[in-house]
Amino acid sequence: MTDMFTRAITRKPCRALVDGITTSMFGEGTPDYESALKQHSNYVSVLKELGLEVTELDGDERYPDSCFVEDPAVVTEKCAIITNSPEISRNGERYEILDTIRKFYDDSRIFYIEDPGTMEGGDVMKVGDHFFVGQSDRTNAEGAKQFNDIVTRFGYTSSTVPVTEGLHLKDFVIYLENGNMLVSSVMDDEPSFQRYNRFVVDSDELYAINSMNINGTVLVPEGYPKTLKIIEDLGYPVKIVGTDEFKKIDGSLTCLSLRF
Ligand code: CIR
């Protein structure tokens, strides 16, 4: 079953973006705010071109990383989960996203990851009715357990995958739908992914793993010809989207929106 989306939530980058957290796993440098705004606006336009109704939130200067709205919540057809970042500078984002989530979900369908559980949405990858949850520096075993307790009530299943290479699960594996996955060479060996058609992305293009299927069209970050070719050869229509400014602080395509 392929996920189809009608809506997205995004948040404009704030000037404090330059202070966003970074592991420099994808490169060095400080984002240029004006250029980040342009890239973000183009990203939103692409979502709209693909038919999504986009709720665009204003930048929030209190939270440098708040444009990465994928992390403070996980949204599904049946429920929404407000996550719990272990990063002090990001944890408050959960309260800000909640107001918007409440516009689309009843309180009875909104759940919360609570201390000592931690989680960020970048670690959650949905494949049909199953969620793979990365255990990472941001998502711990207790967070994954609480998540499992929530989603199983709605008929979903979940399982955990270790994230050993960097920030989030979806930086190293992405589900393109139709049984196809882009993977790092480490994720290629992950036992729970063996049943999928895996396409290993070269180490110099790792950043492009985080491509994003929106209703059949795959958004691919600009500048990764080998990964682009893999995706085109699979027959997906593609849209190339510039995300360089976000890449400097470990941000990629999926993290800039919540899709449902
Ligand atoms: C952070 O370290 O939290 C941000 N600078 C980047 C978050 C990227 N989020 C994502 O991939 N889901």
Side-chain angles (χ1 to χ4, degrees):
M1 190 186 57
T2 300
D3 277 335
M4 296 297 284
F5 304 115
T6 56
R7 296 181 186 281
I9 298 169
T10 60
R11 187 186 287 286
K12 265 205 184 118
C14 57
R15 289 188 181 276
L17 182 73
V18 296
D19 298 321
I21 307 168
T22 183
T23 62
S24 301
M25 65 178 177
F26 293 129
E28 305 286 332
T30 305
D32 175 81
Y33 175 65
E34 297 301 331
S35 170
L37 272 186
K38 281 193 195 122
Q39 291 185 345
H40 192 265
S41 153
N42 178 56
Y43 176 88
V44 171
S45 302
V46 171
L47 296 184
K48 289 180 180 169
E49 276 166 35
L50 294 172
L52 301 195
E53 190 178 307
V54 183
T55 300
E56 296 175 70
L57 305 176
D58 286 337
D60 187 337
E61 293 295 340
R62 293 169 300 168
Y63 303 111
D65 287 299
S66 53
C67 60
F68 303 123
V69 284
E70 178 178 63
D71 292 322
V74 175
V75 288
T76 80
E77 303 94 314
K78 297 172 190 162
C79 60
I81 295 106
I82 304 296
T83 63
N84 191 22
S85 174
E87 292 292 337
I88 291 169
S89 71
R90 298 210 61 186
N91 189 264
E93 292 172 33
R94 66 200 304 252
Y95 305 108
E96 303 312 315
I97 205 73
L98 177 59
D99 284 346
T100 308
I101 296 295
R102 282 201 162 121
K103 297 194 173 123
F104 301 104
Y105 294 85
D106 273 8
D107 277 346
S108 63
R109 293 194 301 138
I110 303 177
F111 300 85
Y112 302 83
I113 303 297
E114 304 285 7
D115 290 338
T118 67
M119 172 171 271
E120 285 186 351
D123 279 320
V124 178
M125 181 174 76
K126 188 166 180 289
V127 176
D129 283 338
H130 187 77
F131 292 92
F132 290 102
V133 177
Q135 270 188 243
S136 69
D137 290 346
R138 303 287 177 91
T139 300
N140 64 13
E142 171 61 20
K145 182 192 168 299
Q146 290 180 20
F147 183 86
N148 184 69
D149 290 347
I150 296 163
V151 297
T152 48
R153 290 187 228 169
F154 292 89
Y156 299 113
T157 51
S158 85
S159 59
T160 58
V161 175
V163 178
T164 56
E165 299 168 90
L167 189 57
H168 286 130
L169 177 70
K170 282 185 292 190
D171 293 319
F172 305 104
V173 52
I174 207 86
Y175 187 55
L176 288 177
E177 303 291 346
N178 322 102
N180 299 323
M181 275 180 180
L182 297 179
V183 290
S184 66
S185 56
V186 172
M187 288 297 176
D188 189 37
D189 291 336
E190 164 58 37
S192 48
F193 297 151
Q194 298 308 304
R195 78 189 85 147
Y196 301 100
N197 309 318
R198 299 177 317 285
F199 299 88
V200 180
V201 169
D202 278 1
S203 56
D204 61 342
E205 291 205 359
L206 270 192
Y207 179 74
I209 289 177
N210 193 284
S211 293
M212 174 166 87
N213 185 327
I214 299 286
N215 300 343
T217 297
V218 178
L219 278 59
V220 185
E222 185 174 16
Y224 300 92
K226 291 183 277 186
T227 312
L228 178 66
K229 183 162 182 344
I230 295 174
I231 296 170
E232 284 180 331
D233 287 351
L234 283 166
Y236 295 102
V238 301
K239 282 196 184 278
I240 296 171
V241 181
T243 51
D244 277 4
E245 299 303 336
F246 302 102
K247 176 181 162 189
K248 293 173 185 169
I249 54 169
D250 302 344
S252 36
L253 283 166
T254 64
C255 46
L256 289 171
S257 60
L258 284 165
R259 305 151 300 275
F260 55 115

